[in-house]
Amino acid sequence: MAANQNSGNPKVDLAYRRKKNKEDMKFQVVTFALMIFLTVIAFVAIGYDGIAEWFKIPFILLLAVIQVIFQLYYFMHMSHKGHEVPALFLYSGIGVAFLTVLAFVTIIWW
């Protein structure tokens, strides 16, 4: 039986939805805690003088990319079935933006 089909039994369907919602909420809480932790790490990295300046910007950008991935997959539910087309458009837009920035950077620098 597929997850999107009804069993015909309201009690079974309600139990399944409650279990699924509980799992989703657990993932969202864990992801939120990880994002707060990554934000604290970013603030500490910038405020701490023992970290080299050349390391700080790539490190902050890496933390930002990780947080964007968390937000897309857990808060915007991109990991669920039925979100393939919006994901395709989103990733296509990211690809076009990356290529545009890369093109302008190479035109300016070379």
Side-chain angles (χ1 to χ4, degrees), residues 79-90:
S79 61
H80 292 146
K81 290 182 180 179
H83 291 123
E84 291 83 13
V85 174
L88 173 69
F89 285 117
L90 182 76

Side-chain angles (χ1 to χ4, degrees), residues 16-28:
Y16 173 77
R17 283 187 299 164
R18 282 186 177 166
K19 180 182 176 189
K20 188 69 175 161
N21 288 342
K22 184 178 179 182
E23 289 174 3
D24 286 344
M25 184 57 73
K26 183 178 80 171
F27 282 128
Q28 286 188 352

Side-chain angles (χ1 to χ4, degrees), residues 9-19:
N9 185 347
K11 289 184 180 180
V12 172
D13 293 338
L14 182 62
Y16 173 77
R17 283 187 299 164
R18 282 186 177 166
K19 180 182 176 189

Side-chain angles (χ1 to χ4, degrees), residues 14-105:
L14 182 62
Y16 173 77
R17 283 187 299 164
R18 282 186 177 166
K19 180 182 176 189
K20 188 69 175 161
N21 288 342
K22 184 178 179 182
E23 289 174 3
D24 286 344
M25 184 57 73
K26 183 178 80 171
F27 282 128
Q28 286 188 352
V29 168
V30 168
T31 303
F32 181 72
L34 282 172
M35 288 173 55
I36 295 296
F37 178 69
L38 291 175
T39 302
V40 168
I41 289 175
F43 277 110
V44 168
I46 294 300
Y48 184 63
D49 292 333
I51 298 177
E53 292 297 322
W54 62 267
F55 181 76
K56 288 182 182 181
I57 292 176
F59 183 67
I60 296 300
L61 290 176
L62 175 67
L63 293 177
V65 167
I66 292 170
Q67 286 195 5
V68 166
I69 291 169
F70 279 158
Q71 287 180 7
L72 287 176
Y73 279 94
Y74 291 108
F75 291 122
M76 295 180 71
H77 306 288
M78 294 297 267
S79 61
H80 292 146
K81 290 182 180 179
H83 291 123
E84 291 83 13
V85 174
L88 173 69
F89 285 117
L90 182 76
Y91 296 135
S92 298
I94 290 171
V96 168
F98 175 75
L99 288 176
T100 303
V101 169
L102 181 66
F104 284 128
V105 167

